[in-house]
Amino acid sequence: MSILVTRSSMPPIEDYVEEIKPIFESHYLTNMGPIYKKFQKQLIRYLQVPELSLFVNGHMALEMAIQALELRKEGGEVITTPFTFASTTHAIVRNGLKPVFCDIRPDDYTIDAEKIESLITEKTVAIIPVHVYGNICDVETIAAIAEKYNLKVIYDAAHAFGVTYKGIGIGNFGDASMFSFHATKVFNTIEGGAVAFHDRKYRVPLHELKNFGIHGPEDTLAVGGNAKMDEFRAAMGICNLRRIDECIEARKKVYDRYVERLDNVKGICLSKHQENVVANYAYFPVLFEPAEFGKSRDIVFDELEQADIHARKYFYPAINEMSCYKEKYKDQTTPVAHKIARKVLTLPMYEELSLEDVDRICDIILN
Ligand SMILES: *Cc1c(COP(=O)(O)O)cnc(C)c1O
């Protein structure tokens, strides 16, 4: 049977039916209704963040966080990572800002905080790093730089749902953090996302931006868009949130089996274990060093495909190698990110993946 790189978590159908019944009575389908509010409260508790605003998806959450923090400035620059999903960079560019790509660390693939300072100019307005694969960035160094240069920090925490650092929810770092609840993520609301933040002054702007900037029945303050989470998706969130701890626990079993089979194999490099971090086991990225392993990433990918196992070259290419960006930013060099993008493969990872299937995947890789 075919194995995909991921499989969306779904609650028992009875749970979902129970949760959406009130909608069929009230006919209140969207516009920050009672289920939206209930889900928002539950998420604030689960993520241990002071403030949270729900969105139709993670991408719009990030776009509107950038707008709410008033980063839009003629010629403004944002320091970010090229080793991410296109969404991160697109959100910067679609806000009229210029991405400045900082290279990444070779061991956990997050932005190399030591290299940020040299990229700061008088045009820099913010840093937008990514907790890639759920590996957390060097939040302490980034906070120190941001303070020194008076820059805003927005984390793309799309991969980091439920991750904690030193016992603190990951959404507490920086000025804001974006979470994605897309179907393929550890926690999903089908499509969905959120911005977590601590300064209450962003509460009203974020709330209004996702609803066309409408301030009241007779006035519109900001040039907003439409990015509200509806009641059906909030209901899905409530159902999936009930099972999230089990789901992460199941992923850990898969993760541990992969590590057991693939750690210490010559030419295979696994993501570095991070101290003081409670992980969410969102992905299982593996680097293949062709000279030592004897096979390249692309060959391993093809061999798995032949067995109907679908891993993903995630992230490949790096953002600044994509057609929409490569000509524009070719003066910016990020050799570590480019090297990793050519070697990395994310292996299938989801709660229902059996350990027998993990063994089968590892057998194909190792033989
Ligand atoms: C999924 C993802 C996004 C976008 O989230 P959506 O909910 O799909 O809009 C942004 N950044 C990263 C790193 C992602 O993986």
Side-chain angles (χ1 to χ4, degrees):
M1 205 179 92
S2 166
I3 299 177
L4 301 181
V5 71
T6 191
R7 191 160 194 262
S8 299
S9 295
M10 291 180 79
I13 188 166
E14 303 74 28
D15 283 17
Y16 188 63
V17 169
E18 201 52 43
E19 213 57 53
I20 62 174
K21 263 186 193 155
I23 307 175
F24 284 79
E25 283 148 26
S26 67
H27 289 228
Y28 200 136
L29 307 184
T30 186
N31 284 14
M32 287 71 92
I35 303 180
Y36 172 107
K37 291 197 178 103
K38 177 173 159 192
F39 177 46
Q40 180 187 33
K41 263 199 204 122
Q42 291 185 358
L43 268 184
I44 285 174
R45 211 177 316 132
Y46 187 80
L47 295 171
Q48 306 168 45
V49 292
E51 299 277 340
L52 183 116
S53 191
L54 295 171
F55 284 84
V56 69
N57 58 51
H59 178 80
M60 287 313 295
L62 183 56
E63 271 200 32
M64 291 188 169
I66 292 170
Q67 195 180 352
L69 266 63
E70 299 182 354
L71 302 179
R72 292 171 166 194
K73 204 176 92 179
E74 191 66 38
E77 296 177 352
V78 176
I79 297 172
T80 188
T81 169
F83 194 70
T84 180
F85 187 51
S87 167
T88 319
T89 314
H90 288 352
I92 295 167
V93 174
R94 288 169 58 83
N95 270 294
L97 295 161
K98 179 186 171 189
V100 173
F101 295 106
C102 179
D103 213 352
I104 60 172
R105 302 198 284 205
D107 52 4
D108 62 17
Y109 327 126
T110 62
I111 198 165
D112 188 342
E114 306 296 328
K115 293 186 178 145
I116 291 176
E117 230 170 329
S118 67
L119 299 172
I120 295 174
T121 70
E122 69 280 3
K123 292 181 185 154
T124 309
V125 293
I127 308 170
I128 302 191
V130 180
H131 299 304
V132 66
Y133 304 130
N135 291 342
I136 67 151
C137 300
D138 181 351
V139 290
E140 281 135 0
T141 304
I142 292 168
I145 294 168
E147 192 177 343
K148 183 170 167 194
Y149 294 92
N150 192 26
L151 301 175
K152 293 275 193 287
V153 179
I154 303 177
Y155 282 104
D156 178 334
H159 293 179
F161 188 87
V163 173
T164 65
Y165 175 57
K166 294 184 175 167
I168 300 166
I170 201 65
N172 288 282
F173 298 93
D175 296 279
S177 295
M178 174 274 273
F179 291 96
S180 164
F181 311 143
H182 183 256
T184 55
K185 305 295 204 272
V186 169
F187 169 77
N188 85 79
T189 62
I190 310 169
E191 291 263 8
V195 179
F197 53 101
H198 42 83
D199 194 332
R200 278 193 64 159
K201 77 174 178 213
Y202 300 128
R203 189 193 275 186
V204 172
L206 281 168
H207 191 80
E208 292 180 356
L209 280 171
K210 70 178 145 205
N211 192 26
F212 308 101
I214 294 170
H215 185 63
E218 298 190 357
D219 202 13
T220 293
L221 287 182
V223 183
N226 182 1
K228 307 180 293 285
M229 177 180 284
D230 68 66
E231 294 288 275
F232 288 88
R233 287 178 177 77
M236 188 70 164
I238 287 172
C239 295
N240 275 335
L241 195 59
R242 268 183 216 131
R243 310 167 44 253
I244 185 68
D245 291 335
E246 274 168 59
C247 167
I248 292 175
E249 196 51 44
R251 283 172 173 272
K252 183 178 186 313
K253 291 205 174 81
V254 172
Y255 189 96
D256 287 345
R257 177 66 70 108
Y258 272 131
V259 170
E260 199 183 307
R261 296 287 316 270
L262 300 178
D263 203 13
N264 299 318
V265 174
K266 205 163 154 255
I268 285 186
C269 185
L270 306 183
S271 187
K272 193 182 87 170
H273 171 76
Q274 295 189 307
E275 295 296 319
N276 300 314
V277 172
V278 176
N280 66 359
Y281 310 99
Y283 298 90
F284 199 85
V286 180
L287 299 191
F288 292 96
E289 298 288 349
E292 291 158 42
F293 186 62
K295 291 191 278 195
S296 69
R297 182 272 308 269
D298 289 349
I299 288 172
V300 175
F301 175 83
D302 290 342
E303 287 177 356
L304 289 170
E305 284 285 311
Q306 276 161 26
D308 210 7
I309 295 165
H310 306 277
R312 223 180 129 190
K313 298 175 191 179
Y314 191 66
F315 297 101
Y316 173 80
I319 302 292
N320 48 358
E321 292 177 300
M322 290 177 171
S323 295
C324 54
Y325 293 122
K326 72 178 171 202
E327 288 307 316
K328 274 181 118 162
Y329 305 111
K330 60 182 170 208
D331 55 316
Q332 303 180 11
T333 57
T334 52
V336 178
H338 292 179
K339 206 160 41 181
I340 287 168
R342 280 192 293 276
K343 290 178 185 169
V344 74
L345 197 62
T346 54
L347 300 180
M349 166 59 92
Y350 48 91
E351 58 178 303
E352 293 164 307
L353 186 63
S354 71
L355 298 184
E356 292 73 44
D357 281 336
V358 175
D359 282 336
R360 195 152 67 85
I361 294 164
C362 294
D363 288 342
I364 292 169
I365 293 171
L366 296 172
N367 288 333

